[in-house]
Amino acid sequence: MAPFIPIACGLATVLTCALAVETGKRTQKTIQQRKRRNAGKKIKIDREIKKEFAKITMTASLGVAVITAPFLKRNKTLKNIHTGAGVLLVGSALWHQFLYQSEKKSQKELLLSDKPEV
């Protein structure tokens, strides 16, 4: 069973990297489309791009954590990198969650403002 653990970790890392590349391509297309629309204007980064960046950050940090996991007992530097990747994963997950929370609040406020007062 033990020889399959590195294979599973490698497969998870490859899938994670592929997802990050695909998400990055979509984000890059979105940025290029907005640049064309807003030529000459100051571009404000909207919530969707921030969400995509948070997803890419989570994916990359998870990949680093998976890659460094087998080497925790052997190398102190990789242990520190693994810990940093875990902290980055938690931070970007919280940031991603807060981006969705503010969207829910704004939708809730719109629904409340649409109701007629009795």
Side-chain angles (χ1 to χ4, degrees):
M1 212 52 174
F4 295 110
I5 293 173
I7 294 170
C9 290
L11 182 61
T13 304
V14 168
L15 292 174
T16 302
C17 291
L19 177 66
V21 167
E22 183 61 33
T23 304
K25 287 179 183 175
R26 281 188 272 141
T27 304
Q28 190 174 16
K29 286 181 183 178
T30 305
I31 291 172
Q32 288 174 353
Q33 289 171 353
R34 291 201 172 118
K35 279 184 180 178
R36 285 187 210 119
R37 270 189 268 152
N38 298 326
K41 298 178 186 176
K42 185 176 180 180
I43 297 175
K44 183 178 178 182
I45 299 175
D46 66 344
R47 191 176 295 147
E48 291 301 318
I49 293 176
K50 290 178 184 178
K51 287 179 191 177
E52 289 294 325
F53 185 72
K55 289 176 192 175
I56 292 169
T57 307
M58 287 190 295
T59 305
S61 61
L62 181 62
V64 169
V66 167
I67 290 171
T68 57
F71 308 107
L72 290 178
K73 292 184 180 179
R74 296 183 212 159
N75 194 338
K76 186 172 174 124
T77 305
L78 287 178
K79 185 176 181 180
N80 290 337
I81 291 172
H82 181 81
T83 304
V87 170
L88 180 63
L89 177 63
V90 171
S92 59
L94 286 172
W95 180 40
H96 187 259
Q97 179 63 27
F98 287 132
L99 287 171
Y100 277 99
Q101 290 296 329
S102 61
E103 186 176 283
K104 287 180 183 177
K105 285 181 183 178
S106 64
Q107 288 176 353
K108 192 175 185 179
E109 289 172 1
L110 286 173
L111 289 175
L112 290 176
S113 66
D114 289 343
K115 290 183 180 179
E117 293 184 20
V118 178

